[in-house]
């Protein structure tokens, strides 16, 4: 055992314990895996996970958490004892694949040839022009770029994580994957990854969501997944999927869709999504020879936001902006603005900000962007708020719809209603920025899936 003290601004902030050369005897999914490798509790900054690695300061190391799933007071592993052992095995496995050349090479190839990475960093010229005109600036105004996750296979950033975790499931010898999905984006991505890797897939989905998103249900079935309906919504489907996993630990892998849940889930998902920010750094350098000034992403639970932000945590000159769903308004009780009005509590295995009542009961979230309807956020997102490293704002349903229409008309890109929340915030952000500032908005997904929602809002007749 060796112990290292990390000093942040002269203060010892946390202790890091490093275990070296431990023999792993993993029994997840009933297949014993024996191998000797270095196990560390710390995500080593020298590791080259998923491509290029920047130099990071102690500060950014601090912001990245303690490697044990703790981000300040957030995160952790609040689970029944029976789950501690499988989670620990998963942690070891994840730690291994981060540094495993073969795994990383296979993932990189799949991200390129299957997912279609890298996704473009697109200069939104007409959107830039639009804001320049309304700001009536004499200079050029800020420049707006879109990170085109909408062009990823299956239409959103979800596939980056689904594919990575499905590869881990296969390595662990799991014959079966279970997942829960709300609108179906994560379900479709998981079903696709499982088809590719020849793993049986079961997706749990709430009855109301199944009705609303029938084309995603059909896609999942086409991709060979079993779709199980659960009375209720996403929250109930999640609980059912976890129950199913716990009852079948010997054969089954639970594939989480975002940066929530007990450690190592949040860490795993953010690492698989961090490819977004890594590409952005490289592309910014190519496009204008510098860094972005502001990064903007919508926040449901935080996976597309963290995926973009992580690479830049140590760059203090890069502003990180997250946008939550204010739904029908923060006073209406119908929103998904966890950081804006929630409190800290424990849900789905970790501590974070939550939407809860006085009794600690979880409240039903609402957003027109169904992917944003989660009553919490990932622990690392809570920490980024509390540490002040990232800023968080909100956009309403109405503002998101407007932003969706604007981008469609100006750029010929129909963004997902989730991503439209990030785009909507440009109205408030852009007038505060200097001329020439470079803004990157994460276009987390495409809007084809939202056409029915737009039709229900009377869209076709209000257009043209
Ligand atoms: C699921 C989803 C989101 C929200 O999830 P995060 O974990 O906050 O990224 C945002 N955009 C799209 C397109 C989604 O499918």
């Amino acid at each position: 055992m060796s112990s290292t003290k990390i000093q942040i601004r002269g203060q010892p902030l946390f202790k890091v314990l490093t275990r070296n050369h431990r023999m792993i005897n993993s029994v997840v999914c009933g297949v014993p895996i024996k191998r000797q490798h270095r196990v560390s509790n710390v995500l080593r900054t020298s590791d080259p996970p998923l491509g290029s690695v920047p130099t990071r300061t102690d500060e950014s190391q601090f912001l990245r958490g303690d490697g044990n799933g703790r981000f300040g007071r957030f995160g952790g592993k609040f689970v029944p004892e029976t789950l501690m052992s499988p989670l620990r095995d998963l942690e070891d496995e994840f730690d291994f694949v981060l540094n495993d050349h073969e795994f990383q090479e296979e993932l990189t190839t799949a991200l390129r040839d299957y997912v279609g990475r890298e996704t473009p960093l697109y200069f939104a010229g007409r959107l830039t022009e639009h804001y320049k005109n309304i700001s009536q600036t004499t200079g050029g105004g800020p420049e707006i770029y879109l990170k085109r996750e909408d062009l990823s296979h299956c239409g959103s950033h979800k596939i980056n994580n689904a594919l990575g975790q499905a590869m881990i499931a296969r390595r662990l010898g799991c014959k079966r994957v279970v997942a829960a999905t709300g609108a179906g984006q994560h379900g479709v991505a998981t079903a696709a990854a499982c088809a590719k890797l020849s793993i049986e897939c079961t997706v749990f989905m709430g009855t109301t969501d199944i009705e609303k998103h029938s084309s995603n249900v059909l896609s999942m079935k086409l991709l060979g997944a079993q779709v199980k309906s659960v009375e209720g919504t996403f929250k109930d489907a999640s609980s059912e999927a976890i129950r199913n996993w716990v009852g079948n630990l010997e054969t089954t892998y639970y594939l989480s869709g975002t940066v929530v849940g007990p450690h190592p889930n949040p860490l795993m998902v953010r690492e698989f999504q961090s490819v977004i920010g890594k590409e952005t750094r490289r592309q910014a350098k190519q496009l204008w020879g510098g860094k972005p000034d502001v990064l903007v992403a919508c926040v449901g639970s935080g996976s597309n936001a963290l995926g973009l932000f992580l690479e830049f945590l140590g760059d203090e000159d890069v502003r990180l902006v997250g946008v939550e769903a204010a739904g029908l308004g923060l006073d209406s009780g119908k929103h998904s603005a966890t950081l804006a009005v929630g409190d800290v509590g424990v849900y789905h295995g970790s501590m974070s900000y939550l939407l809860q009542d006085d009794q600690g009961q979880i409240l039903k979230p609402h957003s027109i962007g169904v992917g944003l309807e989660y009553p919490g956020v990932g622990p690392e997102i809570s920490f980024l708020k509390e540490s002040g490293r990232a800023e968080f704002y909100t956009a309403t349903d109405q503002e998101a719809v407007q932003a969706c229409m604007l981008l469609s008309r100006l750029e010929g890109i129909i963004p997902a209603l989730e991503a439209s929340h990030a785009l909507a915030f440009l109205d408030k952000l852009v007038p505060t920025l200097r001329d020439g500032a470079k803004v990157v908005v994460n276009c987390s997904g495409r809007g084809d899936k939202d056409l029915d929602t737009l039709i229900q809002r009377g869209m076709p007749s209000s257009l043209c």
Side-chain angles (χ1 to χ4, degrees), residues 92-221:
D92 289 340
E93 186 62 30
F94 174 61
D95 196 80
F96 178 79
V97 302
L98 264 185
N99 302 291
D100 184 52
H101 185 68
E102 204 180 310
F103 182 95
Q104 293 297 331
E105 206 167 79
E106 187 184 343
L107 181 60
T108 304
T109 304
L111 286 175
R112 186 190 64 209
D113 301 340
Y114 185 70
V115 176
R117 304 206 73 91
E118 57 182 35
T119 61
L121 184 61
Y122 167 72
F123 175 55
R126 287 196 69 204
L127 190 66
T128 295
E129 196 65 23
H130 165 82
Y131 280 111
K132 188 183 141 191
N133 291 339
I134 54 176
S135 318
Q136 295 183 324
T137 164
T138 46
E143 291 178 10
I144 300 162
Y145 294 80
L146 304 178
K147 184 59 177 157
R148 299 289 309 276
E149 291 305 297
D150 56 309
L151 294 177
S152 297
H153 184 48
C154 301
S156 81
H157 68 293
K158 295 273 192 328
I159 188 75
N160 301 327
N161 163 61
L163 185 66
Q165 281 200 64
M167 282 174 59
I168 289 185
R170 189 191 52 188
R171 277 186 55 88
L172 288 167
C174 297
K175 296 190 170 39
R176 185 168 171 266
V177 156
V178 290
T181 194
Q185 295 300 102
H186 174 55
V188 171
T190 304
C194 286
K196 174 174 160 52
L197 297 177
S198 182
I199 304 172
E200 205 184 299
C201 178
T202 307
V203 180
F204 291 85
M205 198 167 171
T207 38
T208 43
D209 291 332
I210 286 182
E211 267 171 46
K212 272 196 269 180
H213 308 282
S214 54
S215 69
N216 275 341
V217 175
L218 183 61
S219 298
M220 285 183 258
K221 288 182 174 168

Side-chain angles (χ1 to χ4, degrees), residues 217-250:
V217 175
L218 183 61
S219 298
M220 285 183 258
K221 288 182 174 168
L222 256 178
L223 292 163
Q226 223 188 344
V227 181
K228 290 218 165 148
S229 82
V230 178
E231 200 58 51
T233 59
F234 174 60
K235 173 163 87 62
D236 309 288
S238 295
S239 303
E240 195 55 38
I242 292 170
R243 205 169 299 140
N244 187 288
W245 171 55
V246 172
N248 299 282
L249 288 173
E250 290 291 302

Side-chain angles (χ1 to χ4, degrees), residues 6-35:
I6 294 198
Q7 304 261 327
I8 311 283
R9 297 194 187 107
Q11 302 284 318
L13 272 167
F14 56 89
K15 258 188 176 178
V16 182
L17 298 175
T18 314
R19 293 168 286 157
N20 284 332
H21 298 291
R22 211 183 70 189
M23 182 70 95
I24 305 295
N25 267 309
S26 179
V27 288
V28 187
C29 293
V31 179
I33 305 163
K34 277 197 185 176
R35 62 170 175 268

Side-chain angles (χ1 to χ4, degrees), residues 201-436:
C201 178
T202 307
V203 180
F204 291 85
M205 198 167 171
T207 38
T208 43
D209 291 332
I210 286 182
E211 267 171 46
K212 272 196 269 180
H213 308 282
S214 54
S215 69
N216 275 341
V217 175
L218 183 61
S219 298
M220 285 183 258
K221 288 182 174 168
L222 256 178
L223 292 163
Q226 223 188 344
V227 181
K228 290 218 165 148
S229 82
V230 178
E231 200 58 51
T233 59
F234 174 60
K235 173 163 87 62
D236 309 288
S238 295
S239 303
E240 195 55 38
I242 292 170
R243 205 169 299 140
N244 187 288
W245 171 55
V246 172
N248 299 282
L249 288 173
E250 290 291 302
T251 55
T252 303
Y253 182 93
Y254 174 72
L255 204 153
S256 57
T258 182
V259 286
V260 299
H263 180 62
N265 266 315
L267 210 68
M268 228 167 25
V269 178
R270 82 156 191 204
E271 286 302 317
F272 287 129
Q273 293 295 0
S274 68
V275 65
I276 302 173
K278 285 176 183 147
E279 288 177 3
T280 300
R281 184 188 287 278
R282 215 162 40 226
Q283 291 167 319
K285 193 143 200 191
Q286 276 164 8
L287 282 171
W288 63 82
K291 289 186 278 193
D293 295 289
V294 193
L295 303 174
V296 190
C298 66
V299 175
S301 330
S303 72
N304 87 88
L306 266 180
L308 179 64
F309 295 170
L310 188 69
E311 169 73 16
F312 297 94
L313 284 186
D315 298 272
E316 278 179 23
D317 49 347
V318 179
R319 272 176 75 186
L320 312 177
V321 174
V323 186
E324 293 189 294
L328 302 181
L330 292 182
D331 297 331
S332 68
K334 284 186 173 290
H335 58 75
S336 199
T338 309
L339 291 168
V341 299
D343 303 300
V344 176
V346 171
Y347 183 57
H348 282 162
S350 68
M351 184 173 291
S352 197
Y353 273 94
L354 302 172
L355 291 176
Q356 53 187 328
D357 65 16
D358 294 343
Q359 315 277 305
Q361 292 301 304
I362 298 301
L363 298 171
K364 190 174 174 309
H366 161 84
S367 170
I368 194 164
V370 189
L372 303 182
E373 285 186 325
Y374 184 76
V377 291
E380 190 166 2
I381 292 285
S382 290
F383 185 56
L384 288 180
K385 176 192 161 86
E386 204 162 83
S387 65
R389 177 62 188 95
E391 307 154 51
F392 295 93
Y393 305 94
T394 61
T396 62
D397 285 356
Q398 185 59 33
E399 289 166 336
V401 170
Q402 295 286 333
C404 175
M405 281 170 55
L406 188 70
L407 194 75
S408 303
R409 290 288 168 102
L410 291 181
E411 298 288 350
I413 297 169
I414 303 175
L417 284 174
E418 291 86 355
S420 300
H421 287 73
L423 292 159
F425 188 66
L426 291 174
D427 281 359
K428 293 182 180 121
L429 178 72
V430 171
T432 68
L433 301 176
R434 65 171 171 83
D435 285 340

